[in-house]
Amino acid sequence: MDSDKNTIVQKSYDLLKETVLTANGFPRSQKFTLGDRLQNQATDLMDNYIRALYAPREAKRALLDEANIQLEILRHYYRLAYDLGLYNSVRYKHFAEIIQHIGRMTGGWIKSLGK
């Protein structure tokens, strides 16, 4: 299971990297607003997974619950960027798939913690 936990950190890192590269291509009017929001949210998500990886067992659940909320916020920001025409449907689908995959991994990690 430890490799799965490291994988979720790597996936969140990959999401952050792609987000930064994509946001850098936004027009100036959105680069420093929506682009920054996307980057900050993706950074916070990765931070939460790293914290959860090293947190004591009793603290992990709260961090993972927060990560789930951050994933949902990111879903909406990525959809907004798509709706504003900041990237094409292929890029949007790619981000949606990554977030869905990370969400499933988060759910599995939460489930592994038990009650």
Side-chain angles (χ1 to χ4, degrees):
M1 190 67 179
D2 281 339
S3 67
D4 289 345
K5 294 171 190 169
N6 285 325
T7 302
I8 200 168
V9 171
Q10 184 61 49
K11 289 283 186 194
S12 64
Y13 171 86
D14 293 342
L15 176 66
L16 174 59
K17 183 172 72 172
E18 287 192 47
T19 299
V20 169
L21 293 173
T22 299
N24 283 338
F26 286 1
R28 185 171 176 80
S29 63
Q30 292 301 321
K31 186 181 291 192
F32 301 109
T33 52
L34 185 55
D36 281 350
R37 282 301 265 192
L38 278 165
Q39 290 177 61
N40 290 337
Q41 201 64 37
T43 301
D44 291 345
L45 178 69
M46 186 185 70
D47 290 352
N48 246 351
Y49 286 126
I50 293 170
R51 284 182 192 1
L53 187 62
Y54 292 100
R57 185 174 177 84
E58 59 275 2
K60 290 182 187 295
R61 177 65 191 249
L63 290 165
L64 294 173
D65 287 342
E66 180 63 26
N68 266 336
I69 293 168
Q70 290 168 324
L71 282 170
E72 189 62 28
I73 291 168
L74 274 169
R75 277 185 187 98
H76 284 80
Y77 283 142
Y78 286 119
R79 188 176 77 199
L80 176 61
Y82 171 71
D83 288 343
L84 292 173
L86 299 176
Y87 47 74
N88 62 26
S89 61
V90 173
R91 171 74 56 191
Y92 177 62
K93 182 180 181 216
H94 178 69
F95 279 126
E97 288 170 348
I98 292 172
I99 289 176
Q100 184 178 14
H101 183 69
I102 293 172
R104 283 193 308 270
M105 293 173 77
T106 303
W109 192 356
I110 290 171
K111 192 179 273 190
S112 77
L113 295 173
K115 296 200 181 226

